[in-house]
Amino acid sequence: MQVKRLAAALVALTPLFAAAQTNVTLYGVLDAAISSQDTGGPEGRTTVVNSGNQSSSRFGFRGTEDLGNGLKAMFNLEAGTSIDTGAGDSALFGRRAVVGLEGGFGSLTLGREYSPIAAIAAATDAFGQGFYGSNLSAFTTNRLTRRLANSVNYKSPSWNGLKVLAAYSAGEVTTANTPSGDLKGVGVEYTLGGLYVGAAYHEINRLAIDKDKESAIGAAYKFDQLGGFEVKANWMEADREGAPAKYKQYNLGGSMPFGAHRVYANFQQQKQGAAKGNSWALAYTYSLSKRTNLYASYASLDNNNSGVFGLSSSSVTIAPAATALGKDPDVFSLGLRHSF
């Protein structure tokens, strides 16, 4: 009886929700793959089924309300999920959770948001931050910051192709005589035809001795006269106080469409002090429709005698054990991605 009453109440309230909210969209991506991987350890090669090799599996809600005079209220809640196990992320809406305003001034959001450096990295990764060998390895533990909790974020409108990004993330540290944990970030993006150029910088007040510093610069160009061939490159650096050396990464890659087919390639180098790892990665997608595609990818990383770097896809990172210096991971994947 209680279930029937609840259902009746929801039906009755539906027109009120519709009147209050101009536009609400449910969306998502479901991505699963079977992979053959080798981290270079004694266990040898293993076969796994995992989620999010091309795109992180997710679902979300986004919406806007027209407030008049060109002003809109907006929100976005996005949750990650794992197709292989059905589990969700540890934080329900850990991917993005913001509310804000949009208008002629640009946009202002509060909540959990992508950082200025994350915007530059996403726009200049040949793999679209999917497939093993993407630049997401720069955002693993104790490297660069991709998402900002407790944040206030501003994105300007385009001024002849130029946009400005600014972010403040409150560390919310309450212990006396302790660094605040606050992050401050700025970025700029410029587009002209097929050209994109961007740069961003973060400072984090994490330790009393000095601030952590993170930076990124990247560029991309789409050659319409060559059938949509794209080339992308970026360089990122994390200078964290207390770390033995700066972490540095650069990428150079491209992609080319052929009807329903698209091929991708990317070279990546990671360095930290004497440790260095070079990786080559290839990927292929075949579109069954506008929302569904098959894919295959292969990536291999060559660590020097001091390196233990790994390969990152949208949701998975494989790497040698921390003590397995010089081991070389590689991985081959076949997968299916569907968006809705």
Side-chain angles (χ1 to χ4, degrees), residues 120-169:
I120 308 306
T124 59
D125 182 44
F127 281 177
Q129 295 192 318
F131 307 119
Y132 287 102
S134 76
N135 67 19
L136 288 178
S137 52
F139 296 96
T140 53
T141 305
N142 293 325
R143 294 178 183 171
L144 290 93
T145 306
R146 191 178 182 209
R147 293 184 177 94
L148 306 176
N150 312 311
S151 67
V152 180
N153 309 272
Y154 172 71
K155 298 180 183 179
S156 77
S158 177
W159 298 306
N160 295 320
L162 180 68
K163 291 184 179 181
V164 175
L165 315 174
Y168 168 74
S169 174

mmCIF file of all heavy atoms in Angstrom, residues 120-169:
data_model
loop_
_atom_site.group_PDB
_atom_site.id
_atom_site.type_symbol
_atom_site.label_atom_id
_atom_site.label_comp_id
_atom_site.label_asym_id
_atom_site.label_seq_id
_atom_site.Cartn_x
_atom_site.Cartn_y
_atom_site.Cartn_z
ATOM 1 N N ILE A 120 42.807 21.601 -20.130
ATOM 2 C CA ILE A 120 43.870 21.625 -21.147
ATOM 3 C C ILE A 120 44.254 20.208 -21.549
ATOM 4 O O ILE A 120 44.410 19.888 -22.732
ATOM 5 C CB ILE A 120 45.103 22.386 -20.619
ATOM 6 C CG1 ILE A 120 44.721 23.762 -20.080
ATOM 7 C CG2 ILE A 120 46.165 22.476 -21.704
ATOM 8 C CD1 ILE A 120 43.947 24.635 -21.019
ATOM 9 N N ALA A 121 44.414 19.332 -20.562
ATOM 10 C CA ALA A 121 44.812 17.951 -20.836
ATOM 11 C C ALA A 121 43.778 17.225 -21.678
ATOM 12 O O ALA A 121 44.113 16.469 -22.600
ATOM 13 C CB ALA A 121 45.057 17.209 -19.530
ATOM 14 N N ALA A 122 42.491 17.427 -21.382
ATOM 15 C CA ALA A 122 41.431 16.748 -22.130
ATOM 16 C C ALA A 122 41.389 17.202 -23.585
ATOM 17 O O ALA A 122 41.172 16.397 -24.492
ATOM 18 C CB ALA A 122 40.086 17.002 -21.465
ATOM 19 N N ALA A 123 41.601 18.492 -23.816
ATOM 20 C CA ALA A 123 41.500 19.035 -25.176
ATOM 21 C C ALA A 123 42.682 18.666 -26.052
ATOM 22 O O ALA A 123 42.595 18.765 -27.282
ATOM 23 C CB ALA A 123 41.377 20.559 -25.117
ATOM 24 N N THR A 124 43.792 18.220 -25.444
ATOM 25 C CA THR A 124 45.017 18.005 -26.227
ATOM 26 C C THR A 124 45.539 16.576 -26.134
ATOM 27 O O THR A 124 46.706 16.320 -26.423
ATOM 28 C CB THR A 124 46.118 18.985 -25.777
ATOM 29 O OG1 THR A 124 46.386 18.801 -24.375
ATOM 30 C CG2 THR A 124 45.691 20.423 -26.025
ATOM 31 N N ASP A 125 44.675 15.634 -25.743
ATOM 32 C CA ASP A 125 45.053 14.217 -25.711
ATOM 33 C C ASP A 125 44.526 13.533 -26.966
ATOM 34 O O ASP A 125 43.319 13.545 -27.222
ATOM 35 C CB ASP A 125 44.479 13.548 -24.465
ATOM 36 C CG ASP A 125 44.891 12.089 -24.356
ATOM 37 O OD1 ASP A 125 46.077 11.800 -24.584
ATOM 38 O OD2 ASP A 125 44.028 11.245 -24.065
ATOM 39 N N ALA A 126 45.399 12.939 -27.742
ATOM 40 C CA ALA A 126 44.995 12.305 -29.000
ATOM 41 C C ALA A 126 44.000 11.178 -28.783
ATOM 42 O O ALA A 126 43.190 10.873 -29.667
ATOM 43 C CB ALA A 126 46.229 11.772 -29.726
ATOM 44 N N PHE A 127 44.024 10.546 -27.599
ATOM 45 C CA PHE A 127 43.127 9.442 -27.288
ATOM 46 C C PHE A 127 41.829 9.903 -26.636
ATOM 47 O O PHE A 127 41.011 9.073 -26.232
ATOM 48 C CB PHE A 127 43.823 8.447 -26.361
ATOM 49 C CG PHE A 127 44.780 7.519 -27.058
ATOM 50 C CD1 PHE A 127 45.531 6.614 -26.329
ATOM 51 C CD2 PHE A 127 44.934 7.542 -28.429
ATOM 52 C CE1 PHE A 127 46.409 5.739 -26.957
ATOM 53 C CE2 PHE A 127 45.813 6.680 -29.069
ATOM 54 C CZ PHE A 127 46.550 5.779 -28.331
ATOM 55 N N GLY A 128 41.629 11.216 -26.517
ATOM 56 C CA GLY A 128 40.437 11.700 -25.847
ATOM 57 C C GLY A 128 40.359 11.227 -24.414
ATOM 58 O O GLY A 128 39.275 11.033 -23.864
ATOM 59 N N GLN A 129 41.525 11.037 -23.792
ATOM 60 C CA GLN A 129 41.650 10.504 -22.438
ATOM 61 C C GLN A 129 40.937 9.167 -22.301
ATOM 62 O O GLN A 129 40.294 8.865 -21.279
ATOM 63 C CB GLN A 129 41.170 11.524 -21.402
ATOM 64 C CG GLN A 129 42.054 12.767 -21.373
ATOM 65 C CD GLN A 129 41.818 13.663 -20.194
ATOM 66 O OE1 GLN A 129 40.680 13.901 -19.809
ATOM 67 N NE2 GLN A 129 42.890 14.186 -19.622
ATOM 68 N N GLY A 130 41.055 8.366 -23.342
ATOM 69 C CA GLY A 130 40.604 6.987 -23.339
ATOM 70 C C GLY A 130 41.711 6.132 -23.909
ATOM 71 O O GLY A 130 42.701 6.646 -24.428
ATOM 72 N N PHE A 131 41.583 4.825 -23.797
ATOM 73 C CA PHE A 131 42.573 3.858 -24.261
ATOM 74 C C PHE A 131 43.854 3.935 -23.419
ATOM 75 O O PHE A 131 44.231 4.989 -22.914
ATOM 76 C CB PHE A 131 42.929 4.044 -25.744
ATOM 77 C CG PHE A 131 41.766 4.067 -26.678
ATOM 78 C CD1 PHE A 131 41.500 5.172 -27.460
ATOM 79 C CD2 PHE A 131 40.909 2.978 -26.778
ATOM 80 C CE1 PHE A 131 40.430 5.201 -28.328
ATOM 81 C CE2 PHE A 131 39.831 2.994 -27.646
ATOM 82 C CZ PHE A 131 39.591 4.112 -28.421
ATOM 83 N N TYR A 132 44.509 2.781 -23.248
ATOM 84 C CA TYR A 132 45.783 2.748 -22.539
ATOM 85 C C TYR A 132 46.828 3.562 -23.308
ATOM 86 O O TYR A 132 46.921 3.468 -24.524
ATOM 87 C CB TYR A 132 46.265 1.312 -22.388
ATOM 88 C CG TYR A 132 45.487 0.524 -21.366
ATOM 89 C CD1 TYR A 132 44.508 -0.385 -21.749
ATOM 90 C CD2 TYR A 132 45.731 0.692 -20.003
ATOM 91 C CE1 TYR A 132 43.797 -1.126 -20.816
ATOM 92 C CE2 TYR A 132 45.020 -0.040 -19.055
ATOM 93 C CZ TYR A 132 44.057 -0.942 -19.467
ATOM 94 O OH TYR A 132 43.352 -1.654 -18.542
ATOM 95 N N GLY A 133 47.596 4.347 -22.557
ATOM 96 C CA GLY A 133 48.564 5.250 -23.160
ATOM 97 C C GLY A 133 48.080 6.677 -23.217
ATOM 98 O O GLY A 133 48.767 7.554 -23.748
ATOM 99 N N SER A 134 46.904 6.961 -22.635
ATOM 100 C CA SER A 134 46.381 8.325 -22.591
ATOM 101 C C SER A 134 47.166 9.152 -21.574
ATOM 102 O O SER A 134 47.926 8.614 -20.755
ATOM 103 C CB SER A 134 44.905 8.324 -22.214
ATOM 104 O OG SER A 134 44.758 8.077 -20.817
ATOM 105 N N ASN A 135 46.928 10.475 -21.569
ATOM 106 C CA ASN A 135 47.666 11.320 -20.628
ATOM 107 C C ASN A 135 47.099 11.293 -19.209
ATOM 108 O O ASN A 135 47.577 12.024 -18.337
ATOM 109 C CB ASN A 135 47.771 12.762 -21.139
ATOM 110 C CG ASN A 135 46.440 13.506 -21.197
ATOM 111 O OD1 ASN A 135 45.466 13.134 -20.563
ATOM 112 N ND2 ASN A 135 46.414 14.573 -21.984
ATOM 113 N N LEU A 136 46.124 10.425 -18.943
ATOM 114 C CA LEU A 136 45.587 10.331 -17.592
ATOM 115 C C LEU A 136 46.604 9.792 -16.590
ATOM 116 O O LEU A 136 46.407 9.921 -15.378
ATOM 117 C CB LEU A 136 44.336 9.448 -17.581
ATOM 118 C CG LEU A 136 43.093 10.078 -18.217
ATOM 119 C CD1 LEU A 136 41.926 9.102 -18.207
ATOM 120 C CD2 LEU A 136 42.703 11.368 -17.498
ATOM 121 N N SER A 137 47.692 9.189 -17.064
ATOM 122 C CA SER A 137 48.740 8.755 -16.133
ATOM 123 C C SER A 137 49.369 9.936 -15.406
ATOM 124 O O SER A 137 49.993 9.762 -14.356
ATOM 125 C CB SER A 137 49.817 7.959 -16.873
ATOM 126 O OG SER A 137 50.294 8.671 -17.994
ATOM 127 N N ALA A 138 49.196 11.157 -15.923
ATOM 128 C CA ALA A 138 49.706 12.345 -15.230
ATOM 129 C C ALA A 138 48.859 12.712 -14.021
ATOM 130 O O ALA A 138 49.265 13.570 -13.225
ATOM 131 C CB ALA A 138 49.768 13.533 -16.191
ATOM 132 N N PHE A 139 47.684 12.077 -13.863
ATOM 133 C CA PHE A 139 46.774 12.445 -12.779
ATOM 134 C C PHE A 139 46.639 11.336 -11.732
ATOM 135 O O PHE A 139 45.718 11.366 -10.919
ATOM 136 C CB PHE A 139 45.400 12.780 -13.352
ATOM 137 C CG PHE A 139 45.405 13.979 -14.261
ATOM 138 C CD1 PHE A 139 45.508 13.814 -15.638
ATOM 139 C CD2 PHE A 139 45.343 15.264 -13.744
ATOM 140 C CE1 PHE A 139 45.531 14.911 -16.479
ATOM 141 C CE2 PHE A 139 45.373 16.366 -14.583
ATOM 142 C CZ PHE A 139 45.466 16.193 -15.953
ATOM 143 N N THR A 140 47.537 10.365 -11.759
ATOM 144 C CA THR A 140 47.502 9.339 -10.726
ATOM 145 C C THR A 140 48.085 9.905 -9.432
ATOM 146 O O THR A 140 48.478 11.072 -9.358
ATOM 147 C CB THR A 140 48.263 8.085 -11.175
ATOM 148 O OG1 THR A 140 49.591 8.451 -11.590
ATOM 149 C CG2 THR A 140 47.564 7.416 -12.350
ATOM 150 N N THR A 141 48.185 9.087 -8.398
ATOM 151 C CA THR A 141 48.526 9.543 -7.045
ATOM 152 C C THR A 141 49.772 10.415 -6.999
ATOM 153 O O THR A 141 50.805 10.074 -7.578
ATOM 154 C CB THR A 141 48.720 8.326 -6.125
ATOM 155 O OG1 THR A 141 47.540 7.517 -6.185
ATOM 156 C CG2 THR A 141 48.960 8.761 -4.691
ATOM 157 N N ASN A 142 49.650 11.535 -6.299
ATOM 158 C CA ASN A 142 50.761 12.461 -6.042
ATOM 159 C C ASN A 142 51.330 13.093 -7.309
ATOM 160 O O ASN A 142 52.512 13.463 -7.350
ATOM 161 C CB ASN A 142 51.886 11.764 -5.271
ATOM 162 C CG ASN A 142 51.465 11.384 -3.868
ATOM 163 O OD1 ASN A 142 50.691 12.101 -3.234
ATOM 164 N ND2 ASN A 142 51.944 10.257 -3.387
ATOM 165 N N ARG A 143 50.481 13.259 -8.319
ATOM 166 C CA ARG A 143 50.907 13.968 -9.526
ATOM 167 C C ARG A 143 50.029 15.205 -9.699
ATOM 168 O O ARG A 143 49.914 16.011 -8.796
ATOM 169 C CB ARG A 143 50.892 13.024 -10.731
ATOM 170 C CG ARG A 143 51.956 11.928 -10.576
ATOM 171 C CD ARG A 143 51.959 10.931 -11.713
ATOM 172 N NE ARG A 143 52.952 9.885 -11.459
ATOM 173 C CZ ARG A 143 53.087 8.779 -12.178
ATOM 174 N NH1 ARG A 143 52.274 8.555 -13.213
ATOM 175 N NH2 ARG A 143 54.006 7.888 -11.869
ATOM 176 N N LEU A 144 49.413 15.381 -10.853
ATOM 177 C CA LEU A 144 48.614 16.587 -11.068
ATOM 178 C C LEU A 144 47.177 16.397 -10.581
ATOM 179 O O LEU A 144 46.711 15.272 -10.416
ATOM 180 C CB LEU A 144 48.626 16.976 -12.551
ATOM 181 C CG LEU A 144 49.970 17.515 -13.071
ATOM 182 C CD1 LEU A 144 50.809 16.392 -13.676
ATOM 183 C CD2 LEU A 144 49.768 18.601 -14.099
ATOM 184 N N THR A 145 46.484 17.515 -10.394
ATOM 185 C CA THR A 145 45.127 17.506 -9.842
ATOM 186 C C THR A 145 44.108 17.631 -10.961
ATOM 187 O O THR A 145 44.116 18.603 -11.711
ATOM 188 C CB THR A 145 44.939 18.664 -8.844
ATOM 189 O OG1 THR A 145 45.960 18.591 -7.848
ATOM 190 C CG2 THR A 145 43.573 18.592 -8.198
ATOM 191 N N ARG A 146 43.193 16.653 -11.049
ATOM 192 C CA ARG A 146 42.207 16.638 -12.122
ATOM 193 C C ARG A 146 40.852 17.196 -11.683
ATOM 194 O O ARG A 146 40.207 17.906 -12.445
ATOM 195 C CB ARG A 146 42.023 15.207 -12.638
ATOM 196 C CG ARG A 146 41.213 15.138 -13.923
ATOM 197 C CD ARG A 146 41.104 13.724 -14.418
ATOM 198 N NE ARG A 146 40.378 13.663 -15.670
ATOM 199 C CZ ARG A 146 39.661 12.617 -16.079
ATOM 200 N NH1 ARG A 146 39.582 11.535 -15.316
ATOM 201 N NH2 ARG A 146 39.027 12.643 -17.236
ATOM 202 N N ARG A 147 40.404 16.842 -10.492
ATOM 203 C CA ARG A 147 39.109 17.312 -10.008
ATOM 204 C C ARG A 147 39.289 18.081 -8.705
ATOM 205 O O ARG A 147 40.165 17.755 -7.897
ATOM 206 C CB ARG A 147 38.144 16.138 -9.788
ATOM 207 C CG ARG A 147 37.726 15.439 -11.091
ATOM 208 C CD ARG A 147 36.706 14.348 -10.796
ATOM 209 N NE ARG A 147 36.221 13.714 -12.009
ATOM 210 C CZ ARG A 147 36.741 12.596 -12.542
ATOM 211 N NH1 ARG A 147 37.778 12.018 -11.945
ATOM 212 N NH2 ARG A 147 36.247 12.076 -13.640
ATOM 213 N N LEU A 148 38.421 19.069 -8.500
ATOM 214 C CA LEU A 148 38.510 19.944 -7.346
ATOM 215 C C LEU A 148 37.249 19.836 -6.510
ATOM 216 O O LEU A 148 36.162 20.175 -6.979
ATOM 217 C CB LEU A 148 38.695 21.396 -7.795
ATOM 218 C CG LEU A 148 39.865 21.682 -8.746
ATOM 219 C CD1 LEU A 148 39.840 23.140 -9.168
ATOM 220 C CD2 LEU A 148 41.196 21.329 -8.085
ATOM 221 N N ALA A 149 37.390 19.374 -5.273
ATOM 222 C CA ALA A 149 36.270 19.384 -4.339
ATOM 223 C C ALA A 149 36.202 20.749 -3.653
ATOM 224 O O ALA A 149 37.173 21.510 -3.636
ATOM 225 C CB ALA A 149 36.446 18.278 -3.303
ATOM 226 N N ASN A 150 35.039 21.075 -3.114
ATOM 227 C CA ASN A 150 34.846 22.328 -2.362
ATOM 228 C C ASN A 150 35.303 23.537 -3.178
ATOM 229 O O ASN A 150 35.976 24.431 -2.658
ATOM 230 C CB ASN A 150 35.630 22.292 -1.041
ATOM 231 C CG ASN A 150 35.417 21.019 -0.257
ATOM 232 O OD1 ASN A 150 34.276 20.611 -0.052
ATOM 233 N ND2 ASN A 150 36.496 20.383 0.154
ATOM 234 N N SER A 151 34.940 23.582 -4.454
ATOM 235 C CA SER A 151 35.536 24.577 -5.343
ATOM 236 C C SER A 151 34.542 25.601 -5.871
ATOM 237 O O SER A 151 33.333 25.350 -5.955
ATOM 238 C CB SER A 151 36.219 23.880 -6.526
ATOM 239 O OG SER A 151 35.274 23.251 -7.370
ATOM 240 N N VAL A 152 35.097 26.749 -6.232
ATOM 241 C CA VAL A 152 34.391 27.808 -6.957
ATOM 242 C C VAL A 152 35.131 27.973 -8.281
ATOM 243 O O VAL A 152 36.364 28.115 -8.297
ATOM 244 C CB VAL A 152 34.405 29.138 -6.179
ATOM 245 C CG1 VAL A 152 33.650 30.210 -6.962
ATOM 246 C CG2 VAL A 152 33.815 28.945 -4.792
ATOM 247 N N ASN A 153 34.397 27.968 -9.402
ATOM 248 C CA ASN A 153 35.030 27.922 -10.722
ATOM 249 C C ASN A 153 34.386 28.932 -11.662
ATOM 250 O O ASN A 153 33.160 29.055 -11.710
ATOM 251 C CB ASN A 153 34.885 26.516 -11.332
ATOM 252 C CG ASN A 153 35.342 25.435 -10.371
ATOM 253 O OD1 ASN A 153 36.509 25.088 -10.343
ATOM 254 N ND2 ASN A 153 34.418 24.918 -9.559
ATOM 255 N N TYR A 154 35.238 29.608 -12.421
ATOM 256 C CA TYR A 154 34.754 30.596 -13.392
ATOM 257 C C TYR A 154 35.312 30.280 -14.769
ATOM 258 O O TYR A 154 36.506 29.976 -14.912
ATOM 259 C CB TYR A 154 35.167 32.016 -12.990
ATOM 260 C CG TYR A 154 34.857 33.042 -14.068
ATOM 261 C CD1 TYR A 154 33.547 33.413 -14.354
ATOM 262 C CD2 TYR A 154 35.888 33.609 -14.827
ATOM 263 C CE1 TYR A 154 33.257 34.328 -15.353
ATOM 264 C CE2 TYR A 154 35.607 34.539 -15.825
ATOM 265 C CZ TYR A 154 34.295 34.890 -16.088
ATOM 266 O OH TYR A 154 34.015 35.790 -17.085
ATOM 267 N N LYS A 155 34.441 30.338 -15.780
ATOM 268 C CA LYS A 155 34.847 30.207 -17.176
ATOM 269 C C LYS A 155 34.267 31.384 -17.934
ATOM 270 O O LYS A 155 33.056 31.619 -17.914
ATOM 271 C CB LYS A 155 34.351 28.887 -17.769
ATOM 272 C CG LYS A 155 34.912 27.655 -17.077
ATOM 273 C CD LYS A 155 34.391 26.359 -17.682
ATOM 274 C CE LYS A 155 34.928 25.155 -16.917
ATOM 275 N NZ LYS A 155 34.412 23.861 -17.480
ATOM 276 N N SER A 156 35.135 32.132 -18.597
ATOM 277 C CA SER A 156 34.687 33.342 -19.287
ATOM 278 C C SER A 156 34.011 32.997 -20.603
ATOM 279 O O SER A 156 34.171 31.882 -21.124
ATOM 280 C CB SER A 156 35.887 34.256 -19.554
ATOM 281 O OG SER A 156 36.640 33.777 -20.654
ATOM 282 N N PRO A 157 33.269 33.934 -21.184
ATOM 283 C CA PRO A 157 32.803 33.740 -22.566
ATOM 284 C C PRO A 157 34.000 33.836 -23.503
ATOM 285 O O PRO A 157 35.117 34.179 -23.092
ATOM 286 C CB PRO A 157 31.835 34.908 -22.770
ATOM 287 C CG PRO A 157 32.330 35.955 -21.831
ATOM 288 C CD PRO A 157 32.846 35.224 -20.617
ATOM 289 N N SER A 158 33.788 33.524 -24.754
ATOM 290 C CA SER A 158 34.868 33.611 -25.750
ATOM 291 C C SER A 158 35.006 35.042 -26.241
ATOM 292 O O SER A 158 34.045 35.657 -26.699
ATOM 293 C CB SER A 158 34.557 32.691 -26.939
ATOM 294 O OG SER A 158 35.551 32.821 -27.928
ATOM 295 N N TRP A 159 36.213 35.580 -26.091
ATOM 296 C CA TRP A 159 36.540 36.894 -26.626
ATOM 297 C C TRP A 159 37.429 36.703 -27.849
ATOM 298 O O TRP A 159 38.635 36.519 -27.731
ATOM 299 C CB TRP A 159 37.265 37.740 -25.576
ATOM 300 C CG TRP A 159 36.443 38.013 -24.361
ATOM 301 C CD1 TRP A 159 35.191 38.563 -24.321
ATOM 302 C CD2 TRP A 159 36.807 37.739 -22.995
ATOM 303 N NE1 TRP A 159 34.754 38.665 -23.016
ATOM 304 C CE2 TRP A 159 35.720 38.176 -22.183
ATOM 305 C CE3 TRP A 159 37.937 37.188 -22.384
ATOM 306 C CZ2 TRP A 159 35.741 38.058 -20.794
ATOM 307 C CZ3 TRP A 159 37.952 37.073 -21.006
ATOM 308 C CH2 TRP A 159 36.869 37.509 -20.231
ATOM 309 N N ASN A 160 36.806 36.636 -29.032
ATOM 310 C CA ASN A 160 37.537 36.389 -30.278
ATOM 311 C C ASN A 160 38.381 35.125 -30.188
ATOM 312 O O ASN A 160 39.527 35.077 -30.653
ATOM 313 C CB ASN A 160 38.421 37.584 -30.627
ATOM 314 C CG ASN A 160 37.625 38.831 -30.927
ATOM 315 O OD1 ASN A 160 36.576 38.777 -31.577
ATOM 316 N ND2 ASN A 160 38.087 39.978 -30.427
ATOM 317 N N GLY A 161 37.812 34.087 -29.578
ATOM 318 C CA GLY A 161 38.488 32.801 -29.476
ATOM 319 C C GLY A 161 39.237 32.586 -28.182
ATOM 320 O O GLY A 161 39.702 31.471 -27.911
ATOM 321 N N LEU A 162 39.368 33.608 -27.351
ATOM 322 C CA LEU A 162 40.123 33.506 -26.095
ATOM 323 C C LEU A 162 39.179 33.318 -24.919
ATOM 324 O O LEU A 162 38.215 34.065 -24.762
ATOM 325 C CB LEU A 162 40.969 34.763 -25.884
ATOM 326 C CG LEU A 162 41.822 34.798 -24.606
ATOM 327 C CD1 LEU A 162 42.929 33.753 -24.685
ATOM 328 C CD2 LEU A 162 42.397 36.180 -24.388
ATOM 329 N N LYS A 163 39.464 32.320 -24.069
ATOM 330 C CA LYS A 163 38.702 32.075 -22.858
ATOM 331 C C LYS A 163 39.647 32.028 -21.660
ATOM 332 O O LYS A 163 40.791 31.576 -21.776
ATOM 333 C CB LYS A 163 37.929 30.749 -22.940
ATOM 334 C CG LYS A 163 36.792 30.738 -23.941
ATOM 335 C CD LYS A 163 36.039 29.416 -23.874
ATOM 336 C CE LYS A 163 34.873 29.387 -24.848
ATOM 337 N NZ LYS A 163 34.119 28.097 -24.771
ATOM 338 N N VAL A 164 39.146 32.465 -20.518
ATOM 339 C CA VAL A 164 39.908 32.451 -19.270
ATOM 340 C C VAL A 164 39.220 31.511 -18.287
ATOM 341 O O VAL A 164 37.987 31.517 -18.167
ATOM 342 C CB VAL A 164 40.013 33.866 -18.669
ATOM 343 C CG1 VAL A 164 40.708 33.824 -17.313
ATOM 344 C CG2 VAL A 164 40.748 34.797 -19.617
ATOM 345 N N LEU A 165 40.021 30.702 -17.579
ATOM 346 C CA LEU A 165 39.527 29.783 -16.562
ATOM 347 C C LEU A 165 40.134 30.165 -15.222
ATOM 348 O O LEU A 165 41.315 30.531 -15.157
ATOM 349 C CB LEU A 165 39.919 28.337 -16.890
ATOM 350 C CG LEU A 165 39.729 27.850 -18.326
ATOM 351 C CD1 LEU A 165 40.303 26.443 -18.478
ATOM 352 C CD2 LEU A 165 38.259 27.868 -18.710
ATOM 353 N N ALA A 166 39.369 30.070 -14.161
ATOM 354 C CA ALA A 166 39.883 30.346 -12.821
ATOM 355 C C ALA A 166 39.174 29.437 -11.828
ATOM 356 O O ALA A 166 37.975 29.163 -11.969
ATOM 357 C CB ALA A 166 39.682 31.808 -12.440
ATOM 358 N N ALA A 167 39.916 28.957 -10.820
ATOM 359 C CA ALA A 167 39.337 28.039 -9.846
ATOM 360 C C ALA A 167 39.978 28.248 -8.482
ATOM 361 O O ALA A 167 41.167 28.551 -8.367
ATOM 362 C CB ALA A 167 39.534 26.589 -10.290
ATOM 363 N N TYR A 168 39.148 28.068 -7.461
ATOM 364 C CA TYR A 168 39.631 28.066 -6.080
ATOM 365 C C TYR A 168 38.993 26.878 -5.375
ATOM 366 O O TYR A 168 37.771 26.716 -5.381
ATOM 367 C CB TYR A 168 39.252 29.359 -5.354
ATOM 368 C CG TYR A 168 39.481 29.293 -3.864
ATOM 369 C CD1 TYR A 168 40.769 29.358 -3.334
ATOM 370 C CD2 TYR A 168 38.407 29.136 -2.981
ATOM 371 C CE1 TYR A 168 40.976 29.275 -1.962
ATOM 372 C CE2 TYR A 168 38.604 29.056 -1.610
ATOM 373 C CZ TYR A 168 39.896 29.125 -1.107
ATOM 374 O OH TYR A 168 40.107 29.038 0.235
ATOM 375 N N SER A 169 39.831 26.017 -4.802
ATOM 376 C CA SER A 169 39.352 24.849 -4.079
ATOM 377 C C SER A 169 39.768 24.981 -2.619
ATOM 378 O O SER A 169 40.961 25.060 -2.307
ATOM 379 C CB SER A 169 39.951 23.566 -4.674
ATOM 380 O OG SER A 169 39.613 22.431 -3.898
#
